[in-house]
Amino acid sequence: TLDGVDVTLGASVGIACFPECGQNVEGLLRSADMAMYEAKRAGRQQYRFFSPEMNGRARSRLMLEESLRHAIENDDFVLVYQPQFELASGRLRGFEALLRWQHRVAGTVAPNVFIPLLEETRLINRLGEWIFREGARQLAEFKQQFGEDMVLSLNVSPVQFGMPQLVTDLQRVLDSHGLKPSQLEVEVTESALMQDLELTQAQLRHLRELGVKIAIDDFGTGHSSLGYLRQFNVDFLKIDQSFVAMIGADVLSRHILDSIIELSVKLNLDIVAEGVETEEQSDYL
């Protein structure tokens, strides 16, 4: 208790034993440090004993992190654009910008490999503004090609969402490319929204004042809380492609999908379904 306030402390512990895990203090500390990070990755407030396999994983992680830094410096990242269609009319409404990494030796690196590391190391901050600028530049071209009312969806990581300059950065790229705020949609995951409720409400309010649309990405796969759908002012729910992929194969997934859609309609939220690849999926949706 500090000045009348109860404060709860937790710890993630890494354990290294002599002499198996190191012959000197430096080696033991290094092994314990690796084990501690394993404990954090397992969900925090746990303990892990060092094992030789951790050494290999740590070395691989360091190599990947160094490759990420070189990729940022060498402009090896690109944005690809996934079209979004209105199912009722078939009209193209816009695109979602997706970050991709084409490694100069290893080839295409899966997003679920490099994006978590970008966020963990905060390197996403070095890429974030470039993603906004490049996406806005491409949207200006899409407008000329497909029509003035095209929209662009941009994914914002939890790290970016917590940055105070987020709205300022978005305003700058909108102004520099002559775009309307209503043409930009910001996608945030459930986990990002739930990290700090007070910060989330303030950031959502600033985004709303700017005039951009807000979508909850991968809805139904994170730490879902139906309470925040009432508490937070968002425009879209994005149904994760794992639910869409099970259409026609799994009755339970269809029931979950139906429930998400019905809930969205009653809350007056627009819905985007990700990963529609077959006529059966399109017809069902």
Side-chain angles (χ1 to χ4, degrees):
T1 301
L2 301 175
D3 297 328
V5 178
D6 289 336
V7 180
T8 302
L9 301 180
S12 299
V13 181
I15 303 170
C17 300
F18 176 84
E20 297 88 359
C21 305
Q23 297 295 319
N24 52 38
V25 172
E26 183 182 330
L28 284 168
L29 285 174
R30 185 166 57 246
S31 296
D33 198 42
M34 291 181 199
M36 180 194 67
Y37 279 108
E38 291 286 333
K40 286 185 176 181
R41 272 194 283 272
R44 296 180 179 274
Q45 301 209 41
Q46 302 187 37
Y47 65 88
R48 287 290 184 273
F49 283 90
F50 176 81
S51 66
E53 292 80 21
M54 292 179 187
N55 207 11
R57 285 198 294 271
R59 185 175 288 109
S60 298
R61 186 186 181 281
L62 283 173
M63 291 174 62
L64 183 59
E65 184 178 333
E66 193 60 29
S67 294
L68 277 175
R69 295 181 190 278
H70 286 307
I72 294 172
E73 294 168 1
N74 297 329
D75 297 324
D76 288 341
F77 288 97
V78 297
L79 292 180
V80 297
Y81 298 89
Q82 181 164 281
Q84 295 179 346
F85 296 93
E86 292 181 355
L87 283 180
S89 64
R91 184 186 74 87
L92 176 68
R93 70 178 295 270
F95 298 84
E96 178 185 359
L98 301 168
L99 186 66
R100 294 293 181 264
W101 178 19
Q102 191 67 27
H103 193 281
R104 300 193 177 199
V105 177
T108 302
V109 182
N112 62 352
V113 172
F114 72 84
I115 288 180
L117 189 55
L118 278 174
E119 294 174 356
E120 188 179 330
T121 58
R122 302 274 169 157
L123 289 171
I124 191 68
N125 288 335
R126 291 175 56 183
L127 272 177
E129 195 171 350
W130 172 82
I131 292 171
F132 294 157
R133 287 198 315 271
E134 179 61 19
R137 183 198 65 76
Q138 185 62 61
L139 178 58
E141 291 187 11
F142 284 149
K143 283 173 54 181
Q144 297 179 351
Q145 188 174 357
F146 299 109
E148 285 292 318
D149 57 349
M150 287 292 103
V151 298
L152 179 72
S153 296
L154 290 172
N155 294 278
V156 175
S157 76
V159 174
Q160 290 172 286
F161 187 74
M163 299 300 286
Q165 74 271 21
L166 173 63
V167 173
T168 304
D169 290 344
L170 291 172
Q171 180 71 70
R172 188 184 303 119
V173 298
L174 288 169
D175 291 343
S176 62
H177 290 88
L179 301 173
K180 294 180 291 187
S182 59
Q183 292 181 284
L184 190 64
E185 295 170 0
V186 171
E187 298 186 15
V188 191
T189 62
E190 293 171 298
S191 57
L193 291 175
M194 299 302 289
Q195 281 185 357
D196 185 329
L197 297 184
E198 189 173 333
L199 171 65
T200 292
Q201 288 180 314
Q203 198 72 290
L204 291 176
R205 185 175 65 253
H206 295 324
L207 290 168
R208 179 74 57 192
E209 291 168 354
L210 177 60
V212 303
K213 298 284 182 61
I214 303 158
I216 299 178
D217 197 16
D218 299 336
F219 184 77
T221 62
H223 303 290
S224 300
S225 171
L226 297 180
Y228 71 66
L229 291 179
R230 175 179 55 83
Q231 188 177 359
F232 298 150
N233 197 0
V234 299
D235 302 286
F236 287 88
L237 291 187
K238 295 196 70 182
I239 299 173
D240 187 72
Q241 60 184 345
S242 60
F243 294 121
V244 175
M246 296 306 291
I247 291 175
D250 182 272
V251 175
L252 181 58
S253 291
R254 287 205 304 274
H255 288 333
I256 295 173
L257 185 61
D258 293 347
S259 300
I260 293 173
I261 293 172
E262 185 177 355
L263 176 67
S264 303
V265 170
K266 288 183 176 179
L267 292 175
N268 200 29
L269 296 171
D270 289 320
I271 313 159
V272 176
E274 296 181 312
V276 180
E277 296 182 342
T278 68
E279 284 190 33
E280 180 185 13
Q281 292 168 351
S282 176
D283 292 341
Y284 187 86
L285 291 165

